[in-house]
Amino acid sequence: MAKRKMMLLINGAERMLICDQESDTLSDVLRRIGLTGTKVGCGTGQCGACSVILNGKVIRSCAKKMKNIDDGSAITTIEGIGSPTNLHPLQLAWIVYGGVQCGFCTPGFIVSAKGLLDTNNNPTRQEVRDWFQKHRNACRCTGYKPLVDAVMAAAKVIRGEMTMEELSFAIPEDGRIYNTRYPRPAALAKVTGTCDYGDDIGMKMPDALHLAVVMARVSHAKLLSIDTSEAEKMPGVEKVITHKDVKGINRITFPVANPWAKANGFDHSILVSDKIYRYGDIIAVVAARTKKEAREAAKKVTFAYEQLPEYLNILETMAIDAPQVNPEYPNIYIEAPIVKGQDTREVIKNSAHVVEGSFYSQRQPHLVIEPDTNQAYFDEEGRLTVQCKSLALGMTKGVMAAGIGFPVENIRIIENPTGASFGYSISPLMPAIVAVAAMATEKPVTVTLSYEEHQHITGKRAPAFSNGKLACDEKGKLTAIEYEIAYDKGAYTETAGILVQKGLRFMGAPYTIPNAMGLSKTVISNHTNSTAYRGFGSPQCYTCSEQLMDMLAEKIGMDPLEFRYINVYREGDESLNGNQFDVYPMVEILDKLRPSYQEALERAKKESTPELRRGVGIACGEYNVTSGPNDHAEVALGLNSDGTVTHYNTWEDQGQGADIGTLVHTHEALRPLGLRADQIRLCMNDTALAPITGPAAGSRSHYMAGNATINAAEQLMNAMRKEDGTYRTYDEMVSEGIPTKYLGISDTTGQTTDLDPNTGQGNPTAEYTFAVFMAEVEVEVATGKTKVHSMKCIADVGVVGNFLAVEGQALGGMEHGIGMALSEDYDDIQKHISLIGSGFPFINTIPDDMTVEFIETPRATGPHGSSGCAEAFQSSPHVAVINGIYNACGVRVKELPARPEKVKALLEANAEGIEIEQKKYFFGSDLYDKIDYIKANPVIVG
Ligand code: FES
Ligand code: FES
């Protein structure tokens, strides 16, 4: 291929480059010469992660072919804007305003913002938003508001109205950083483009083989044969790897921990050997010298298959006559009940008011900006080392060892700086794939999926169908709930045992409902497997129960907030699972919301027109903290010779702020030592160097790692303490033979009880978080298009460890909630392959008016009074939008997302007086029959 020599002025210096005219893009070239601050996310011009300034204009470098760039062009990348020791105001503002979560979008945003401020140093907030919209700068973590705040602050510095010092975070006089806005340590590298993510690391492994995957592009088929012969002859190819090269049992071993489970969790093949269960299953992997060679060769791998009927929807696989999709277990493989109080059939019959409805929430894609990326190699001690985005480093070792055929004790997992996952990276599939490839080639390997591959291969939020019935007495006090919820687990069972339990815990929360009967099910389909996603399992429940709450409030003529107010948990009340709480903040939360809610209702009334209907919706949410009974976490603290302390843990950082969480807990726990924050070092997320802290899931990390930190700190300080109350130095400890490093443990055994499998009663998690969301929406009657004007969240997650991180989770959660309500989906396999195709919300879809307020009720068992955070923020914000649509224009969207055409059709039906048929889904059996059967045949727990 023809090469071209070019001279470019990059970041102010002339650089000579040889590039491939036709195939190289500007991002390829910049990254090849080491400027890996320019990230590639979508790779197709949709996300702005690769933004650079070319001859004064912001462009997306992944979409700019080198043949279209003039010799002598001037290019500014993130590395040319500022450095760690000489930050640009934008970079400092990004750090200080919490603009960095995962940070993968950060260089692109900062470069883009620089392009704006170069031409207009006094923009309005809307001008900033329009700029990011125009340049397609996409952020999945922050809800965008902190990014606009950061640009406005940086512009002030540029105009000379504020100094860099004034912009910087000031440490309080008492030196305490817990419960402040102290910026996260990892932010500095992320705003300067010096942080290497997985693909950057892969590029910088000179001897690594590049992998390309061969995916099934059919959803259900028998695999008959694989032909790798043509691919093996392609240039640069070292090996084409198939199931025959897997040395273990070739299965992910992710046990389905539920007494009702009829599947064992060993159903997911690493490389397909006989049957394709979903589009995106991996048939083969090509290992070659370069990425291009690997991808070209992958096109030459062919395979023969016999097409089988594809069941892409669980309504088909739950039908009475549905054939069994996987011969190893029935289609409905977990059915878990909840039974509380009196028989709901009687209670509902005698209740003054009853509503019922059936609902569907979609297969929400996580839509991270960084596609999945993994590396594997044998380290200096012969350990099989995998670098990945995993949110569960310890677990990943365990669930892939037998499958790949390598001793678990010799597997080392390292989390790369991660461009977010929001849960999908609990799946060990891609780590297992690179491990198999490193074993088969005996060489280091690296792979970064294209965005399309990423969409097909990674799991999604489980779609769910639900039927619900809610009843109350004449005064509006809830009397009973009945429901069925069926989660579409897709092709594989991993995480099913945890998911099904969420269906027993969050339907009808956070309200006191004395009587309940329900079933939660997990069901197979041939769609992609579902997996963890922030709020795991709960948004599906709230889609049903928080709409039923509004429907019942309307039926009895009460305001939705006041109806909720009389029913939320009060001191001593029990959840549907019969558990009590150590805090009961919902009354205070709703009291706090009421004034803004009433103002919003007034505003909606005033501003509504026949064409643009305004409305207000609210929804409550609750989420658990910790991962079921017997949760366990370990961290270690070591005193260093220079008097600093190192914290060792595997608190995975998916962008949520494990670094700042670790730092503030450690600083607070060691306050008697008087250390400054910069005297605490972090050694995180390498299983060879740090103890297993457990998954960054279940909103557990801040709580579990925090308590373990306090435990380690107490041991360390006890060891250091002299009789006179002063502390030994490192040298004194060593000379007295006192250990300098201590393992801290946190364990919830005895604090919690698992759910009774026959009744769903119990309290499997140590703590809880609570929230309410309010959305102000506008529906355009002519098109059915919904705009969210504002969203407010009031939450109680205990004492806030770090406001930037916790607000960041809240704002991000609301962003995902708005996306879930209005547009996002991964259903159409041909269409939902990109950010735009999947309904990604860009900045002008997310309101600038987003607020978060806290009630900080200290938690008795929580570290420094904190609970967990993150997942309550994505429990029910989507329902606030859906309820807002109803309030605005009288249409209830029961099947998400509320795309304009759906809202329009409902509006038209309303206008014509057409009654919308009430669907009731069939879940393979009758609810009453099934519950009666379970009562007669209880499962015996051994
Ligand atoms: S726009 Fe270039 S990577 Fe997304
Ligand atoms: S911080 Fe923007 S995508 Fe993660």
Side-chain angles (χ1 to χ4, degrees):
M1 205 166 293
K3 303 282 179 194
R4 178 185 174 201
K5 182 216 112 186
M6 294 184 79
M7 298 296 290
L8 294 176
L9 194 64
I10 301 179
N11 296 329
E14 276 213 324
R15 304 283 298 257
M16 186 192 292
L17 306 161
I18 312 295
C19 58
D20 199 306
Q21 274 281 81
E22 288 303 319
S23 65
D24 273 344
T25 63
L26 179 56
S27 60
D28 291 335
V29 171
L30 292 171
R31 291 175 59 73
R32 206 157 63 213
I33 63 171
L35 296 174
T36 49
T38 300
K39 307 297 178 194
V40 174
C42 67
T44 53
Q46 294 191 3
C47 75
C50 61
S51 297
V52 299
I53 300 172
L54 172 66
N55 298 326
K57 288 207 158 33
V58 174
I59 59 134
R60 295 184 286 282
S61 61
C62 75
K64 194 81 180 170
K65 283 265 156 64
M66 289 310 287
K67 68 178 177 192
N68 297 325
I69 293 179
D70 295 333
D71 210 35
S73 291
I75 292 159
T76 304
T77 70
I78 187 69
E79 292 88 348
I81 287 180
S83 66
T85 51
N86 185 25
L87 291 176
H88 186 277
L90 278 164
Q91 292 168 315
L92 178 60
W94 237 257
I95 293 173
V96 169
Y97 280 88
V100 181
Q101 287 192 34
C102 81
F104 195 78
C105 70
T106 301
F109 264 98
I110 291 177
V111 168
S112 180
K114 169 83 164 51
L116 168 65
L117 297 185
D118 283 350
T119 53
N120 174 7
N121 72 7
N122 196 8
T124 63
R125 289 186 75 87
Q126 191 54 48
E127 281 170 340
V128 175
R129 286 164 60 80
D130 290 345
W131 180 271
F132 287 145
Q133 179 78 23
K134 176 174 141 199
H135 292 282
R136 292 222 185 117
N137 291 107
C139 177
R140 188 60 165 165
C141 300
T142 61
Y144 297 105
K145 184 168 183 277
L147 312 184
V148 181
D149 293 342
V151 177
M152 299 305 282
K156 267 191 180 177
V157 175
I158 287 166
R159 294 196 303 272
E161 296 165 12
M162 194 200 282
T163 64
M164 289 286 269
E165 203 185 341
E166 285 163 343
L167 175 60
S168 304
F169 174 79
I171 295 181
E173 269 177 22
D174 65 0
R176 185 175 187 238
I177 61 166
Y178 205 83
N179 196 232
T180 69
R181 308 183 81 79
Y182 191 88
R184 63 180 66 193
L188 183 65
K190 291 179 178 178
V191 299
T192 49
T194 48
C195 176
D196 282 337
Y197 292 71
D199 192 59
D200 310 330
I201 290 165
M203 285 186 73
K204 294 169 188 175
M205 290 165 64
D207 52 349
L209 293 174
H210 292 258
L211 306 181
V213 294
V214 179
M215 287 188 327
R217 292 191 178 270
V218 45
S219 298
H220 196 199
K222 254 187 212 158
L223 181 65
L224 303 176
S225 61
I226 308 171
D227 185 351
T228 61
S229 54
E230 287 303 310
E232 278 156 8
K233 291 183 212 151
M234 292 290 285
V237 170
E238 290 248 345
K239 191 165 179 64
V240 181
I241 300 148
T242 68
H243 64 95
K244 294 189 184 133
D245 299 293
V246 183
K247 300 199 165 59
I249 63 171
N250 190 28
R251 295 282 178 109
I252 300 297
T253 52
F254 204 128
V256 181
N258 187 287
W260 291 105
K262 295 177 181 140
N264 63 10
F266 294 6
D267 56 326
H268 193 171
S269 296
I270 296 171
L271 285 164
V272 178
S273 58
D274 55 356
K275 205 164 163 203
I276 294 159
Y277 281 105
R278 60 156 187 156
Y279 196 101
D281 271 346
I282 301 177
I283 310 283
V285 178
V286 176
R289 280 177 320 204
T290 68
K291 194 172 179 174
K292 277 182 193 166
E293 286 170 338
R295 286 189 168 274
E296 284 307 310
K299 292 180 196 159
K300 301 286 180 191
V301 176
T302 57
F303 54 93
Y305 61 88
E306 178 191 329
Q307 175 79 53
L308 297 169
E310 298 180 343
Y311 303 100
L312 297 176
N313 185 312
I314 58 169
L315 294 179
E316 294 170 32
T317 56
M318 288 193 295
I320 296 280
D321 55 353
Q324 191 165 324
V325 177
N326 188 318
E328 295 172 16
Y329 55 88
N331 291 353
I332 303 173
Y333 54 89
I334 312 180
E335 293 179 276
I338 186 161
V339 182
K340 179 179 164 65
Q342 299 165 28
D343 192 314
T344 52
R345 284 166 276 203
E346 282 305 304
V347 177
I348 289 176
K349 203 160 62 185
N350 297 323
S351 291
H353 305 282
V354 186
V355 289
E356 60 185 307
S358 297
F359 305 88
Y360 168 77
S361 61
Q362 74 274 40
R363 187 174 286 102
Q364 188 184 19
H366 303 69
L367 298 179
V368 295
I369 308 299
E370 180 198 41
D372 203 61
T373 174
N374 297 262
Q375 295 70 43
Y377 53 91
F378 289 90
D379 75 1
E380 68 281 11
E381 290 186 26
R383 288 175 292 218
L384 176 54
T385 303
V386 175
Q387 299 208 182
C388 55
K389 296 178 73 173
S390 174
L391 63 78
L393 301 185
M395 194 187 79
T396 296
K397 291 191 341 170
V399 297
M400 72 181 206
I404 64 172
F406 202 83
V408 68
E409 62 278 12
N410 285 336
I411 298 175
R412 174 183 186 183
I413 311 281
I414 297 170
E415 188 199 4
N416 287 326
T418 291
S421 95
F422 307 109
Y424 87 77
S425 67
I426 198 166
S427 170
L429 177 64
M430 286 309 296
I433 292 278
V434 287
V436 163
M439 289 168 71
T441 60
E442 297 182 346
K443 296 210 171 135
V445 296
T446 180
V447 64
T448 300
L449 300 179
S450 71
Y451 210 86
E452 189 215 348
E453 290 165 347
H454 170 90
Q455 279 293 82
H456 296 313
I457 291 170
T458 59
K460 306 287 175 278
R461 189 189 295 289
F465 293 91
S466 55
N467 295 327
K469 204 182 265 188
L470 191 63
C472 68
D473 64 17
E474 272 135 16
K475 293 190 178 132
K477 285 290 279 179
L478 292 170
T479 52
I481 186 169
E482 280 180 359
Y483 69 87
E484 297 163 279
I485 183 163
Y487 293 100
D488 181 343
K489 268 302 286 140
Y492 300 115
T493 60
E494 42 191 67
T495 69
I498 315 164
L499 178 63
V500 82
Q501 215 186 57
K502 307 297 183 189
L504 301 177
R505 302 191 67 198
F506 299 115
M507 190 72 85
Y511 306 103
T512 303
I513 311 177
N515 307 294
M517 185 192 291
L519 275 175
S520 175
K521 310 188 182 202
T522 51
V523 187
I524 192 171
S525 73
N526 290 123
H527 220 305
T528 197
N529 55 304
S530 77
T531 189
Y533 190 161
R534 186 164 54 190
F536 191 33
S538 74
Q540 297 94 325
C541 296
Y542 295 118
T543 298
C544 174
S545 61
E546 279 301 292
Q547 292 206 67
L548 288 175
M549 288 297 288
D550 261 33
M551 290 160 65
L552 194 48
E554 185 184 27
K555 188 155 190 186
I556 69 166
M558 272 183 90
D559 174 88
L561 185 144
E562 302 308 334
F563 182 63
R564 285 174 171 82
Y565 189 76
I566 62 169
N567 284 297
V568 288
Y569 307 137
R570 283 166 165 76
E571 195 69 36
D573 281 354
E574 285 182 354
S575 73
L576 272 198
N577 308 111
N579 67 282
Q580 294 186 318
F581 303 90
D582 64 341
V583 297
Y584 288 88
M586 281 310 302
V587 167
E588 200 181 340
I589 285 175
L590 290 177
D591 278 334
K592 200 172 165 76
L593 178 67
R594 190 177 286 108
S596 3
Y597 172 68
Q598 286 166 350
E599 280 168 28
L601 285 176
E602 281 304 308
R603 209 167 21 246
K605 221 185 280 169
K606 222 165 53 201
E607 292 174 15
S608 211
T609 66
E611 295 78 30
L612 296 172
R613 310 287 295 273
R614 299 284 287 252
V616 184
I618 60 169
C620 294
E622 166 196 330
Y623 206 73
N624 61 255
V625 172
T626 73
S627 290
N630 316 326
D631 202 348
H632 184 91
E634 298 182 1
V635 308
L637 292 179
L639 180 64
N640 303 315
S641 57
D642 60 358
T644 62
V645 170
T646 300
H647 183 130
Y648 304 83
N649 73 27
T650 45
W651 176 351
E652 299 85 357
D653 199 343
Q654 305 279 294
Q656 82 281 26
D659 58 340
I660 186 68
T662 300
L663 179 65
V664 297
H665 269 315
T666 313
H667 188 262
E668 187 72 359
L670 294 175
R671 286 209 74 202
L673 297 184
L675 295 174
R676 296 186 313 273
D678 64 0
Q679 290 176 298
I680 295 164
R681 298 181 188 158
L682 310 182
C683 173
M684 296 172 66
N685 294 320
D686 179 340
T687 61
L689 303 179
I692 299 302
T693 314
S699 293
R700 64 183 287 287
S701 301
H702 195 79
Y703 182 91
M704 294 299 295
N707 277 332
T709 302
I710 290 171
N711 180 252
E714 280 168 1
Q715 294 177 60
L716 176 62
M717 290 190 295
N718 286 343
M720 291 172 71
R721 197 175 293 113
K722 297 180 190 171
E723 274 183 10
D724 63 359
T726 61
Y727 293 96
R728 292 179 176 86
T729 63
Y730 175 88
D731 290 339
E732 287 169 336
M733 300 272 282
V734 172
S735 68
E736 291 178 50
I738 302 171
T740 55
K741 188 173 176 185
Y742 293 85
L743 186 72
I745 292 176
S746 164
D747 195 295
T748 63
T749 308
Q751 209 178 326
T752 53
T753 52
D754 209 348
L755 293 186
D756 181 315
N758 299 302
T759 62
Q761 301 299 290
N763 185 14
T765 49
E767 257 301 339
Y768 293 84
T769 50
F770 303 89
V772 66
F773 302 90
M774 177 181 82
E776 291 183 83
V777 309
E778 176 184 285
V779 180
E780 187 178 48
V781 173
T783 60
K785 192 164 189 282
T786 301
K787 183 174 173 58
V788 180
H789 278 279
S790 82
M791 191 173 259
K792 187 180 193 67
C793 168
I794 301 177
D796 188 335
V797 298
V799 174
V800 173
N802 179 268
F803 283 97
L804 291 183
V806 177
E807 284 169 6
Q809 289 302 298
L811 294 169
M814 290 194 274
E815 174 184 341
H816 288 228
I818 292 168
M820 183 176 184
L822 299 181
S823 56
E824 295 171 11
D825 209 350
Y826 174 79
D827 184 48
D828 182 333
I829 289 163
Q830 305 305 326
K831 184 174 157 206
H832 297 149
I833 55 174
S834 64
L835 292 173
I836 292 176
S838 306
F840 185 92
F842 287 85
I843 191 166
N844 272 340
T845 303
I846 304 300
D848 197 32
D849 185 1
M850 291 220 287
T851 48
V852 188
E853 292 174 24
F854 299 105
I855 289 167
E856 296 184 77
T857 315
R859 301 300 201 264
T861 63
H864 309 121
S866 296
S867 181
C869 110
E871 300 192 76
F873 298 127
Q874 211 174 331
S875 55
S876 63
H878 61 298
V879 197
V881 176
I882 297 295
N883 285 341
I885 292 173
Y886 184 81
N887 183 255
C889 63
V891 302
R892 182 152 292 288
V893 183
K894 293 182 178 168
E895 297 189 342
L896 303 187
R899 290 216 183 88
E901 59 276 14
K902 202 178 288 175
V903 176
K904 188 173 175 225
L906 290 169
L907 278 166
E908 285 168 355
N910 254 11
E912 288 164 26
I914 299 169
E915 187 110 348
I916 309 286
E917 196 196 334
Q918 171 68 51
K919 273 185 202 166
K920 188 165 183 199
Y921 302 119
F922 178 65
F923 292 147
S925 60
D926 176 76
L927 171 68
Y928 301 135
D929 290 349
K930 191 77 202 175
I931 293 287
D932 288 342
Y933 175 84
I934 290 169
K935 280 183 181 166
N937 303 277
V939 71
I940 311 293
V941 186

